[in-house]
Amino acid sequence: QVQLVESGGGLVQPGGSLRLSCAASGFTFSTYAMSWYRQAPGKERELVALITSIGGTTNYADSVKGRFAISRDNAKNTVSLQMNGLKPEDTAVYYCHANSVIWKLNFWGQGTQVTVSS
């Protein structure tokens, strides 16, 4: 069955770093674009970062440019989000997402909590 399992969330102080990982299984990972979304209480879920299936193109929300970096390892079926210079406003549940335009399929992970606070 399809699975997207996030890990690496937790509590970190402002200015700190955290690395989120997403392990995928049950589908052809290398053919899917992968993204990280986040949702804070009372706010809409927003796209944080995206990486194409090959990995040659990435896109970031303006609020995280220069601080976050998305990467993928198709050999290991994983996608990661390196988060540096964390701010309290980065606090949210972060979700891993897979999308295939060709197959018209998409999958969501269960989410992992990131809390930035002193």
Side-chain angles (χ1 to χ4, degrees), residues 29-47:
F29 179 83
S30 62
T31 67
Y32 282 67
M34 299 298 298
S35 301
W36 286 96
Y37 286 75
R38 68 185 181 188
Q39 187 167 28
K43 295 186 177 181
E44 294 184 347
R45 187 171 298 186
E46 65 172 341
L47 177 66

Side-chain angles (χ1 to χ4, degrees), residues 25-32 72 77 100 103 107:
S25 61
F27 65 100
T28 50
F29 179 83
S30 62
T31 67
Y32 282 67
R72 69 188 295 159
N77 286 7
S100 174
W103 293 104
F107 313 110

